[in-house]
Amino acid sequence: MTKTNCAHSFLLTTLCTLFFLPAAHAQNQPKPRANPFAAAPQMSQTQQDNFPPQLLEELAAIKSAALVDDYAYRQVAHLTENIGARPSGSLQARAASDYVASELRKLGLEVRLEEVKVPHWVRGAETAELVDYAGQIPGTTQKIVLTALGGSTSTPVEGLTADGVAVNNFDELKALGREKVAGKIVLFNKIFDKQKAAGGLAFNAYGEAVRYRSAGPKAAAELGAVAALVRSVGNADYRLPHTGFSASAGIPAGAVTAEDAELIAHLATQGKVRMHLTLTPQKLPDATGYNVVADLKGSESPEQVVVVSGHLDSWDLGTGAIDDGAGVAIALETAELLQKLHLHPKRTIRVIAWMDEESGGAGSQAYTRAHSTEFPNHVAAIESDAGASHPLGFSVKMSAAAMETLQPVAVVLQSTGATVLQASSFSPGADISAMSDAGVPSIGVMQDGRTYFNYHHTAADTLDKIVPAELRENAAAMAVMAYALANMKDPLPR
Ligand SMILES: [Zn+2]
């Protein structure tokens, strides 16, 4: 947009004023936190010092190589189709750690499998039907499609039968009080805001709805509910339930599809809704899992570390392609590209495939216990855990000075479209949040999230949802950012 466009309409004028006012005063005021860090025509002295021509050429070569490389796709294909779903504590999760470790060894990295005690919860039967409701035809029931939430306890094997009560939010639950909740099955019917998702704010929509999945069952249990259901936190209605983590509530907890949440809520306005519910998951003893931690040693400052990562565990319903086989695969490709191009990072690039992001983050906690003394030397941490769609840029939690220093990365990535550097007030990745809290500049690859929550935590999170060309763009974004962080003259300022 140029300034002349600003005359076109009131709206544009307003927008342009908002965007250009800070620039007009740039001489006298501190620069605004660099947002779309589109090609700065002139690099600042700091940027020139940190990104000499040779580094810019190497970064361009990494990008070009990534855009024709199918390594990451082959990796996520193996993880999803040959190994399969990788829930914490499963044989597949263990096999995936071994597989990723062996791939990284093949690439010549120093690889460690770092032990993590992980929860081991396994899904059982999951069925439900409405057995008493207004207008019911005698001898019939209404099927409810649902899935257990991670950590749910079990109903009796034969199931339980109870009246349902539907609420839209925590306030409505509180207003009902123990008297109207005790002995009931509570449904949290919080609607996922699809317009936000369509408008590019999918993670905001997720954040608003997921509170009910994570904390709803516990809140219902505290008022004496015998079970809790949540409306699936998802962006598409194909009667697919979305599982996910839920805080331990001591009662059976499940996610019904959006369609079934509507059905129950509608019938509840007409009278009693009685449900027969069978969920028989089991919590097994904690199991041993592994973070895979692999170093491509820095040639000049090996003690300084740049983390590239994704999480290796997945939910059990699908095969964990977009969540988060893709993230692991592009982190692996960062190492593969540098080795193939014979490029040597000055600082250590550490590839991490995290275990147990989905059911509590034990992998991230174990890494923090083992490595927190190294955090002052962790120059930056990158995680990709928002799918595999076209990358728009990066979501970052770092200082304004650090964001400014990184601007040339956007110039290198311009042809891929991954040019936005968006400041975040919280860690852009769950597994890197402890590092982020400790002051390590943290970076999330920011994918187009418009369809992510269509499939997230469902049986439809499978390899076909990944567009190979878009995965290559993601690999380019992560590898270029990582190599820039490893080879800039100075460590990224904090
Ligand atoms: Zn994830």
Side-chain angles (χ1 to χ4, degrees):
M1 192 187 289
T2 64
K3 276 203 163 186
T4 44
N5 289 348
C6 289
H8 289 176
S9 72
F10 172 73
L11 178 65
L12 271 180
T13 306
T14 310
L15 286 172
C16 290
T17 306
L18 288 173
F19 286 136
F20 283 97
L21 259 183
H25 297 283
Q27 311 294 14
N28 314 323
Q29 294 188 356
K31 283 195 175 141
R33 261 169 109 81
N35 199 353
F37 59 170
Q42 201 76 57
M43 288 206 288
S44 70
Q45 194 57 50
T46 309
Q47 290 164 349
Q48 286 179 44
D49 290 347
N50 276 293
F51 290 88
Q54 189 193 334
L55 176 55
L56 289 171
E57 279 167 28
E58 289 170 348
L59 293 171
I62 292 168
K63 180 197 70 175
S64 299
L67 294 177
V68 295
D69 191 336
D70 67 351
Y71 180 86
Y73 191 80
R74 284 188 278 117
Q75 296 304 329
V76 70
H78 188 88
L79 289 171
T80 55
E81 296 199 322
N82 300 91
I83 294 177
R86 305 171 298 282
S88 280
S90 66
L91 285 173
Q92 294 99 319
R94 175 69 196 266
S97 299
D98 289 342
Y99 171 75
V100 165
S102 78
E103 289 301 299
L104 287 162
R105 281 192 199 100
K106 273 192 227 167
L107 293 173
L109 277 70
E110 280 181 37
V111 183
R112 297 183 300 281
L113 284 166
E114 298 190 354
E115 193 174 312
V116 185
K117 278 281 168 260
V118 294
H120 191 193
W121 174 89
V122 292
R123 195 171 295 284
E126 37 195 29
T127 61
E129 55 275 333
L130 302 183
V131 295
D132 189 1
Y133 48 91
Q136 182 186 21
I137 305 301
T140 69
T141 59
Q142 276 276 38
K143 177 180 174 173
I144 297 297
V145 179
L146 84 171
T147 194
L149 294 177
S152 168
T153 62
S154 178
T155 63
V157 177
E158 67 278 12
L160 62 80
T161 303
D163 289 345
V165 55
V167 297
N168 293 304
N169 53 50
F170 288 119
D171 288 342
E172 288 185 18
L173 179 77
K174 207 170 154 191
L176 287 175
R178 172 169 284 272
E179 196 186 322
K180 290 181 177 152
V181 170
K184 305 267 175 59
I185 298 171
V186 171
L187 167 68
F188 291 93
N189 188 27
K190 171 68 182 178
I191 297 172
F192 182 92
D193 188 338
K194 291 178 184 166
Q195 286 168 307
K196 275 207 180 70
L201 298 174
F203 280 84
N204 297 63
Y206 181 68
E208 288 171 8
V210 78
R211 302 196 294 134
Y212 293 90
R213 189 194 77 206
S214 50
K218 191 159 187 289
E222 283 166 3
L223 293 177
V226 293
L229 301 173
V230 299
R231 180 183 179 121
S232 283
V233 184
N235 188 38
D237 299 336
Y238 295 106
R239 216 173 179 188
L240 269 179
H242 296 238
T243 191
F245 178 79
S246 187
S248 178
I251 58 173
V256 300
T257 67
E259 293 88 339
D260 290 282
E262 292 282 312
L263 171 67
I264 295 166
H266 291 164
L267 290 176
T269 64
Q270 299 167 29
K272 185 162 86 167
V273 180
R274 200 163 169 78
M275 180 185 290
H276 181 68
L277 173 68
T278 307
L279 294 173
T280 60
Q282 281 181 276
K283 183 168 169 40
L284 303 175
D286 284 354
T288 300
Y290 296 92
N291 287 329
V292 186
V293 181
D295 286 348
L296 186 55
K297 277 274 186 257
S299 57
E300 290 178 21
S301 307
E303 76 290 353
Q304 294 178 9
V305 170
V306 175
V307 170
V308 292
S309 67
H311 69 83
L312 197 45
D313 64 303
S314 75
W315 281 107
D316 56 333
L317 298 175
T319 56
I322 60 170
D323 190 12
D324 182 30
V328 171
I330 65 171
L332 291 172
E333 189 175 305
T334 294
E336 187 260 352
L337 286 165
L338 300 189
Q339 298 296 60
K340 192 160 75 178
L341 295 170
H342 306 293
L343 291 173
H344 304 293
K346 293 196 312 191
R347 304 183 181 88
T348 293
I349 290 184
R350 177 170 292 174
V351 180
I352 305 181
W354 302 102
M355 187 45 60
D356 193 46
E357 189 278 334
E358 298 291 5
S359 41
S364 168
Q365 291 156 24
Y367 183 82
T368 300
R369 281 194 297 277
H371 297 278
S372 61
T373 56
E374 303 162 29
F375 285 178
N377 261 329
H378 277 39
V379 171
I382 311 176
E383 179 165 24
S384 174
D385 185 19
S389 292
H390 169 68
L392 308 169
F394 305 90
S395 175
V396 302
K397 183 160 179 263
M398 59 178 62
S399 66
M403 288 176 74
E404 179 72 20
T405 307
L406 282 177
Q407 297 259 349
V409 172
V411 181
V412 173
L413 287 173
Q414 202 159 37
S415 72
T416 70
T419 55
V420 174
L421 197 62
Q422 189 173 70
S424 169
S425 56
F426 48 85
S427 172
D431 297 293
I432 59 174
S433 63
M435 283 182 249
S436 185
D437 292 347
V440 178
S442 52
I443 301 171
V445 182
M446 186 169 74
Q447 285 88 0
D448 175 350
R450 287 176 298 169
T451 62
Y452 183 59
F453 293 102
N454 295 5
Y455 312 116
H456 179 254
H457 295 188
T458 74
D461 178 1
T462 45
L463 182 64
D464 55 294
K465 306 309 181 305
I466 295 179
V467 176
E470 295 183 350
L471 188 68
R472 291 195 287 268
E473 293 169 346
N474 279 293
M478 186 181 269
V480 167
M481 179 59 88
Y483 191 75
L485 290 161
N487 282 44
M488 285 160 50
K489 181 168 79 56
D490 303 318
L492 189 67
R494 292 210 164 181

